[in-house]
């Protein structure tokens, strides 16, 4: 079910670095130390997305990965978009923590 504008704004306030685009997408850019680390991130979030049967737009620009989420059936944003955004952020944090080891 599509979220209202108020619900979207409330969830965006809690979303770390996600931005609203064209009133129907949430977008975030993730930066990595090297190309293959970014590709590994894409592989991991692709598996999460496939498991949820909800697929983002992913752009790979060398060490910068851009992720865009929206729900086609709902014609806008749903709770699932924000749940996946949080899971993607968790993957990123885990990968960043691994860099320091």
């Amino acid at each position: 079910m599509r979220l209202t504008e108020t619900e979207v704004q409330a969830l965006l306030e809690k979303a770390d670095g996600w931005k609203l685009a064209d009133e129907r997408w949430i977008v975030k850019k993730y930066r990595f130390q090297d190309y293959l680390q970014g590709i590994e991130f894409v592989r991991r979030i692709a598996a999460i997305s496939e498991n949820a049967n909800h697929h983002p737009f992913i752009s790979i620009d060398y060490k910068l990965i851009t992720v865009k989420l929206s729900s086609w059936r709902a014609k806008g944003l749903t709770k699932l978009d924000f749940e996946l955004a949080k899971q993607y952020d968790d993957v990123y944090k885990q990968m960043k923590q691994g860099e320091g080891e």
Side-chain angles (χ1 to χ4, degrees):
M1 191 161 122
R2 190 165 104 195
L3 298 171
T4 66
E5 189 175 320
T6 303
E7 290 170 323
V8 168
Q9 289 304 321
L11 288 169
L12 268 177
E13 287 176 18
K14 299 175 195 168
D16 182 25
W18 288 86
K19 307 282 185 224
L20 186 63
D22 299 325
E23 298 179 14
R24 68 174 290 161
W25 298 92
I26 52 173
V27 180
K28 185 169 181 177
K29 295 179 185 297
Y30 297 91
R31 186 169 300 282
F32 294 89
Q33 284 190 329
D34 62 51
Y35 177 74
L36 289 178
Q37 192 179 39
I39 296 302
E40 176 61 18
F41 174 75
V42 169
R43 187 194 67 74
R44 291 183 190 184
I45 69 168
I48 291 167
S49 302
E50 183 66 17
N51 193 41
N53 194 29
H54 193 70
H55 305 93
F57 283 29
I58 301 171
S59 172
I60 303 167
D61 298 298
Y62 185 41
K63 298 186 283 186
L64 183 69
I65 308 299
T66 304
V67 179
K68 284 175 61 174
L69 280 162
S70 188
S71 296
W72 293 105
R73 285 190 191 114
K75 295 182 174 66
L77 293 162
T78 66
K79 284 184 181 178
L80 181 57
D81 295 303
F82 285 93
E83 289 166 7
L84 287 175
K86 170 81 171 78
Q87 289 181 52
Y88 300 164
D89 286 348
D90 290 345
V91 169
Y92 183 72
K93 286 174 191 158
Q94 289 169 356
M95 291 181 73
K96 286 299 191 181
Q97 286 173 348
E99 284 178 9
E101 295 173 358

